Amino acid sequence: MDKAISLSELARETGIAKSTLSRYESKLRTFPLNKVEVFAEALDEDVSYLLGLNSWEITGLYEKLNTVNKYRAKEYLQHLINEQE
């Protein structure tokens, strides 16, 4: 991670209560994926890093799919791209 930050500072920068952040950290509460960009900005980090994604891992998973599922994966990814635009 590029930026060291206290829980209090992260709460201030994200607008999320410190107690809620603590529950995310201890896995007592599910992290809201719709807030990942807010956290990425506050932590000066890439969203994909926070989600544990990297291109070589995704490529490796894709390569394990059979032809039909590769097509389905491509279609689903296109659907997600269209939704976000």
Side-chain angles (χ1 to χ4, degrees):
M1 196 176 323
D2 291 339
K3 184 177 181 182
I5 186 171
S6 70
L7 204 55
S8 296
E9 189 177 350
L10 184 59
R12 195 170 37 258
E13 289 193 30
T14 60
I16 296 172
K18 185 177 170 183
S19 60
T20 301
L21 294 175
S22 180
R23 287 187 200 108
Y24 295 152
E25 187 176 34
S26 61
K27 297 185 180 166
L28 295 174
R29 188 168 180 176
T30 304
F31 180 79
L33 289 178
N34 63 334
K35 298 282 186 186
V36 72
E37 289 178 330
V38 172
F39 282 88
E41 185 175 326
L43 297 168
D44 193 28
E45 195 55 75
D46 190 72
V47 170
S48 60
Y49 174 81
L50 294 182
L51 294 175
L53 301 174
N54 54 54
S55 60
W56 63 265
E57 183 178 28
I58 292 170
T59 301
L61 292 171
Y62 177 81
E63 291 303 320
K64 291 179 182 180
L65 297 173
N66 64 31
T67 303
V68 171
N69 284 332
K70 284 180 180 179
Y71 175 80
R72 292 168 74 189
K74 179 183 165 194
E75 292 294 308
Y76 183 66
L77 289 171
Q78 187 60 58
H79 170 75
L80 291 175
I81 291 166
N82 292 341
E83 273 188 348
Q84 76 181 13
E85 290 176 349

